[in-house]
Amino acid sequence: QQSNDTSKSTAQVDEPSSSSSSSNSKEATTSDIQIIDHTHSSDFSSSIFSEKKAVVKPTVTEIMNANAKSSNARIDLSQKVCKGTPSDIQLMKISKMTHLREIDLTGHDLEQLPAEMAPYLSKLCKLNLSKNELKAIPASFHALVNLRELNVRLNSLKGWPVVINKLNKLEVVDLAFNELKTVSYGLFNNLSYLFRHNSDPSLVPLEKSLKYLNLSFNNFKDKIPAKIFDFTNLETLILSA
């Protein structure tokens, strides 16, 4: 009997209670989990909530100096990139960088361009004058004989920019969002005919080389002459209103 009691006692000691096992299991599980509190973590707050550093734009002069040293064929003086608006003096200095093939003057509210700058830019291929307040393009710009792309969208042109009629290498012309009221057709790229619209003798820059023409969102009072569709090299014509 004593032996039986002993074995029972031993059995009771060797068999842990279910509640104790569950408790130990929970303790083991909890100890394996690391709870990280980022509330007061300087690293976390600085990486997530820190303010972005303000980007300091270079000035017109700084960009000009950098370009002169690098002889880069493209100079970007757009408002997005550049601090300040180029003055007439600075525009003249830019024009004398005869190595330039592309100039971007987007977004400066320029009302006019120095007429004297064009003769120096005979090698220019791309000119972006969008988002300004230009009412006309200087007559001297006929000197841009190698110009292939001209962007004058979002300006204040009221009359057709006659000067570009002589630019017979133009492929892309964007005149959208101006105040143009008529379209005139004229002599271009050695074609043997002269078209006129509303007795306007102005020549129109729709030449054989032209591939893209955007005339959308202007104030045209008359229909666009159907003759425009005779130019087989014109791949894109936008007339949205």
Side-chain angles (χ1 to χ4, degrees):
Q1 183 178 359
Q2 183 177 0
S3 175
N4 291 338
D5 293 341
T6 303
S7 62
K8 287 180 180 178
S9 174
T10 304
Q12 290 176 356
V13 171
D14 292 342
E15 294 179 3
S17 65
S18 59
S19 62
S20 174
S21 175
S22 175
S23 175
N24 291 338
S25 176
K26 288 181 179 179
E27 289 176 0
T29 304
T30 304
S31 65
D32 291 337
I33 300 175
Q34 293 183 351
I35 302 175
I36 303 174
D37 184 3
H38 287 296
T39 306
H40 302 291
S41 171
S42 59
D43 293 338
F44 180 80
S45 60
S46 62
S47 61
I48 301 299
F49 300 106
S50 60
E51 296 182 358
K52 293 183 179 180
K53 293 183 178 179
V55 177
V56 179
K57 297 179 182 179
T59 64
V60 175
T61 301
E62 289 171 342
I63 294 177
M64 289 171 57
N65 291 340
N67 184 278
K69 293 178 181 178
S70 67
S71 296
N72 194 329
R74 179 179 187 271
I75 186 166
D76 188 350
L77 291 171
S78 62
Q79 189 273 335
K80 184 186 297 184
V81 173
C82 173
K83 179 182 179 181
T85 298
S87 65
D88 284 356
I89 294 176
Q90 288 173 322
L91 289 174
M92 282 303 303
K93 289 182 178 179
I94 292 168
S95 69
K96 293 181 180 179
M97 297 178 182
T98 55
H99 62 282
L100 290 176
R101 299 294 183 275
E102 180 179 346
I103 298 177
D104 191 337
L105 293 171
T106 301
H108 287 295
D109 294 329
L110 296 171
E111 295 184 0
Q112 60 182 9
L113 297 171
E116 298 83 2
M117 67 183 294
Y120 299 98
L121 297 172
S122 60
K123 295 180 181 179
L124 197 67
C125 297
K126 186 174 181 179
L127 178 59
N128 192 340
L129 300 171
S130 61
K131 296 182 181 179
N132 282 289
E133 294 294 335
L134 297 174
K135 294 178 176 59
I137 298 177
S140 60
F141 273 52
H142 72 271
L144 307 181
V145 293
N146 285 301
L147 196 65
R148 298 183 182 279
E149 295 186 27
L150 177 63
N151 188 343
V152 202
R153 69 185 286 121
L154 289 164
N155 274 271
S156 300
L157 299 178
K158 292 181 173 59
W160 192 267
V162 179
V163 62
I164 63 178
N165 300 335
K166 298 180 180 180
L167 304 179
N168 60 7
K169 290 187 178 181
L170 277 175
E171 295 179 359
V172 176
V173 177
D174 193 337
L175 297 171
F177 295 95
N178 277 278
E179 300 175 30
L180 300 175
K181 296 179 180 179
T182 61
V183 175
S184 304
Y185 279 81
L187 183 66
F188 44 85
N189 205 28
N190 299 321
L191 294 180
S192 60
Y193 50 79
L194 176 66
F195 294 102
R196 296 189 179 186
H197 182 63
N198 287 345
S199 300
D200 187 348
S202 301
L203 303 180
V204 178
L206 298 179
E207 49 215 74
K208 283 185 176 180
S209 63
L210 199 64
K211 296 179 180 179
Y212 175 100
L213 178 63
N214 190 344
L215 297 174
S216 60
F217 296 97
N218 278 279
N219 295 325
F220 295 119
K221 295 181 178 179
D222 303 305
K223 294 181 179 180
I224 304 297
K227 202 68 183 177
I228 193 172
F229 299 106
D230 288 349
F231 304 108
T232 56
N233 288 324
L234 191 62
E235 298 173 357
T236 303
L237 174 62
I238 304 177
L239 300 172
S240 305

